Amino acid sequence: MTASVSMGSAARNHAERWRWLLYVVLAIVGALLTFVGARAQQKATDDATFRKLIDSYCAAWSTGNADAPAKFYAKEDGLVFYDVAPFSYQSWKEYHEGVQKEFLEGAAEIKLTAGKDLKVNRRGTIAWMTVPMHLMEKSKKDGKTTEMELRYTGIWEKRGASWVLVHEHLSTPAAGS
């Protein structure tokens, strides 16, 4: 009888260990699924946030006045912004003045449009984005329309409730590519 009691006790202990192992495995799987779901939801939220942001950014530049997109930029000196011409600007103030003179003053109409292929990566309060863009500019001087495809990369920083650009790079593909 003691042998059968010992065997029954051992079987119960063995079953109890398997039950606890099953609970632990289920808890780990549940935590992983929660993490993956939260990460996917954050990615979807970021994509929607930055789609709205880049579309507003393009609309602001399309006004033809460099004051309109100012709200999208960090203002401290030393930040570098690359544009299609000239090579670079070393602050928002320099960028604002340069783009107004170089592009906007001679334009009767300008339209900047972000493409569909928006990619966003975010780590905390820093996000970087890439998106192809299309620029249409109609000259005041001769009415000639120029169109070009652009590559855009923006590095955004969340400051308070707003995202601002701390660096951006606009370029055009080399001729024939």
Side-chain angles (χ1 to χ4, degrees):
M1 178 129 156
T2 47
S4 66
V5 170
S6 294
M7 294 283 283
S9 177
R12 277 193 301 276
N13 285 341
H14 186 68
E16 192 68 26
R17 274 185 251 144
W18 276 108
R19 191 172 318 150
W20 278 107
L21 181 61
L22 179 62
Y23 291 148
V24 169
V25 168
L26 288 174
I28 290 171
V29 168
L32 286 173
L33 288 174
T34 300
F35 174 77
V36 168
R39 184 73 182 123
Q41 186 173 2
Q42 179 66 52
K43 176 72 174 140
T45 300
D46 287 347
D47 288 350
T49 296
F50 282 94
R51 171 49 67 185
K52 184 177 178 185
L53 197 58
I54 200 66
D55 288 344
S56 296
Y57 164 95
C58 287
W61 277 113
S62 296
T63 65
N65 183 335
D67 291 334
K71 67 183 177 183
F72 296 103
Y73 291 86
K75 305 300 187 288
E76 58 264 29
D77 290 340
L79 298 176
V80 177
F81 303 102
Y82 293 122
D83 208 313
V84 292
F87 184 71
S88 69
Y89 299 96
Q90 303 302 312
S91 66
W92 165 249
K93 183 179 184 294
E94 191 177 293
Y95 194 24
H96 173 275
E97 292 168 3
V99 171
Q100 186 69 43
K101 183 178 183 228
E102 187 77 28
F103 292 103
L104 302 178
E105 285 178 5
E109 181 183 354
I110 192 162
K111 183 161 177 67
L112 182 64
T113 309
K116 301 254 184 264
D117 193 19
L118 174 69
K119 304 279 190 243
V120 178
N121 292 286
R122 178 179 171 191
R123 301 293 182 273
T125 60
I126 302 294
W128 56 99
M129 146 198 317
T130 59
V131 66
M133 292 186 171
H134 181 81
L135 176 67
M136 182 283 301
E137 184 256 338
K138 185 174 181 181
S139 172
K140 281 182 185 175
K141 190 163 95 175
D142 59 12
K144 181 180 171 194
T145 298
T146 304
E147 300 202 32
M148 68 175 76
E149 300 306 315
L150 302 170
R151 295 177 287 213
Y152 176 87
T153 301
I155 299 177
W156 300 77
E157 183 178 347
K158 189 158 193 178
R159 296 184 179 178
S162 301
W163 287 95
V164 293
L165 282 159
V166 294
H167 174 75
E168 74 178 0
H169 186 131
L170 283 159
S171 63
T172 58
S177 60

